[in-house]
Amino acid sequence: MMTVRQQSPLHPRNRHRERYDMAALCQAHPPLGAFIIHSPAGDETVNFSDPQAVLALNQALLKYHYAIQSWPLPAGFLCPPVPGRADYIHFLADLLAQQPRRQSVHETSILDVGCGANLIYPLIGQHEYGWRFTGSEVSEPAIKAANAIIAANPGLNRKIRLRRQKNPQAIFQGIIHKGEYYHATLCNPPFHASAEMAQAGSQRKQRNLGLGVNAPLNFGGQAQELWCEGGESGFITRMIDESVSFARQCGWFTTLVSRKENLPALYARLRQAGVQEVKTVTMAQGQKQSRFIAWRF
C-alpha cells in the first residue's frame, strides 16, 4: 500500500496555483465583470455564496485556461470548483506516467464514471494532456446537458464521447465494451447515503456561508450527484467488486474518497478483490484535504 503526498497546496502543473487574475478572466469572459466585488483586503474576488457568480467564474476559468468557449450548464446541476478537479487530472497523469504503455494503444483513453452535466474532467484532461474520454452517466438530463457542451465547442466531439448507464446499480457493466481498453478510470462518487443526509449537508454549507436554509446552494447538485444508497463507501465498494470483471481492460481504476474514515474498509475490500497494487494520492485545496485511491490487477 503506497501513499503519495504533496507538499504544496496544488499540483505543480495546476494552472490555478496563484491568485485568479480577475482582469484577464473578465477580458476572456466579460459577463464575469458584473459579479466582481472587493475583499476586506481590497482584492478583486466574487461572492462565492452566489450561484450565478460561481458559474460565471467557472465559465471564465474554462474559457481562459482550457479554451472552452461555451459552458452552458443548466441551473441546479453541480458547478464544480475547477482547481480541485484539475488537481485530480494532474496527479492521475503522474500515475499514468509510471505505467508501462501497451504498444497496441497509441492514444491515452480515460473513462469518467459519472461525468455529470458539467463534464469537467474530460474538458480539463483533453486540453492538458490530449486524452480521449468516454463519459458515463445515469441521468438523461445530465447526458443531454453534457452533449450540449460538446456540441457548443468545435473539436470536442473528437475527444469526448458519452454513454448512458441504463442500470443505476451498475458502474462498468454496459459501459466498457468488449475489446476496449482504458488506461484509467476516474470518478467523483456521490457523497451522501440518502436525500435527507444530502439536504442536511447542504444546509450546513449554507449556514457556513451565512445564508438561510432555503437559499440556493452555490455549487448546486442534482440528486444523483449528491447521494446514492450506501453513500460514498457503498458506491466505491460496488466499483471495486465490479472492477474484477474488467481487470484486463483497464490499467488503473481510480476514485476520489472524500471521507478519510472510509479508507480502511475500502483497503480491506481491495485485498479481498485480489488487486495487485493500491495507491492513495493525497491532495489539498486551501484548508481542504482530499485524496483518490487507485488500484490495478
Side-chain angles (χ1 to χ4, degrees):
M1 202 81 65
M2 179 181 294
T3 299
V4 182
R5 300 186 182 277
Q6 63 161 330
Q7 300 302 317
S8 58
L10 290 172
H11 189 282
R13 291 193 299 277
N14 195 316
R15 297 174 183 269
H16 312 291
R17 290 169 59 85
E18 306 298 331
R19 286 182 176 273
Y20 294 147
D21 184 341
M22 288 299 185
L25 292 176
C26 287
Q27 184 174 4
H29 186 62
L32 175 63
F35 300 99
I36 296 297
I37 61 174
H38 288 85
S39 71
D43 298 320
E44 287 190 329
T45 184
V46 299
N47 180 2
F48 284 94
S49 67
D50 179 354
Q52 293 303 311
V54 172
L55 175 62
L57 176 60
N58 270 14
Q59 289 171 329
L61 290 171
L62 289 170
K63 186 178 291 186
Y64 182 71
H65 291 290
Y66 304 103
I68 302 302
Q69 297 304 310
S70 181
W71 196 58
L73 186 65
F77 281 95
L78 186 66
C79 186
V82 173
R85 300 305 195 258
D87 243 27
Y88 191 174
I89 290 292
H90 291 301
F91 278 100
L92 181 60
D94 290 346
L95 191 65
L96 292 177
Q98 304 165 19
Q99 175 186 349
R101 293 187 62 86
R102 286 171 50 141
Q103 296 301 314
S104 60
V105 181
H106 301 291
E107 190 171 27
T108 299
S109 184
I110 308 293
L111 172 61
D112 180 6
V113 176
C115 62
N118 57 70
L119 210 58
I120 193 68
Y121 291 121
L123 295 181
I124 296 174
Q126 62 82 27
H127 180 271
E128 298 294 75
Y129 297 104
W131 295 343
R132 182 179 295 274
F133 279 83
T134 297
S136 71
E137 179 55 55
V138 298
S139 165
E140 189 170 353
I143 283 276
K144 183 178 179 180
N147 269 319
I149 293 174
I150 294 173
N153 293 275
L156 283 189
N157 62 350
R158 294 192 294 271
K159 287 292 185 180
I160 305 171
R161 66 184 177 189
L162 304 180
R163 287 177 180 169
R164 173 88 185 280
Q165 175 54 270
K166 298 179 180 179
N167 179 1
Q169 298 304 313
I171 296 175
F172 302 121
Q173 294 283 352
I175 297 298
I176 299 180
H177 294 177
K178 184 178 180 180
E180 289 184 341
Y181 179 81
Y182 293 92
H183 294 85
T185 71
L186 56 79
C187 180
N188 183 11
F191 183 75
H192 300 286
S194 69
E196 292 75 19
M197 291 179 65
Q199 179 65 22
S202 296
Q203 290 176 352
R204 282 195 300 273
K205 286 185 179 180
Q206 289 163 344
R207 286 195 297 269
N208 291 339
L209 289 168
L211 304 174
V213 295
N214 294 319
L217 189 60
N218 58 337
F219 290 101
Q222 297 290 297
Q224 71 279 354
E225 296 175 312
L226 300 177
W227 73 274
C228 69
E229 185 177 351
E232 176 182 80
S233 180
F235 187 93
I236 298 174
T237 297
R238 293 195 297 274
M239 179 183 291
I240 292 170
D241 293 346
E242 207 172 314
S243 71
V244 176
S245 299
F246 297 91
R248 294 183 177 274
Q249 290 184 259
C250 184
W252 285 99
F253 297 92
T254 81
T255 179
L256 288 174
V257 182
S258 295
R259 296 181 183 271
K260 187 177 181 180
E261 58 268 28
N262 286 336
L263 289 174
L266 295 175
Y267 292 152
R269 196 69 167 213
L270 287 163
R271 289 192 294 270
Q272 293 173 5
V275 303
Q276 176 184 344
E277 186 176 4
V278 179
K279 291 189 177 185
T280 303
V281 179
T282 61
M283 303 175 288
Q285 295 89 49
Q287 299 300 313
K288 180 182 177 182
Q289 297 291 318
S290 64
R291 67 206 56 79
F292 70 83
I293 57 172
W295 67 95
R296 61 178 177 175
F297 293 87

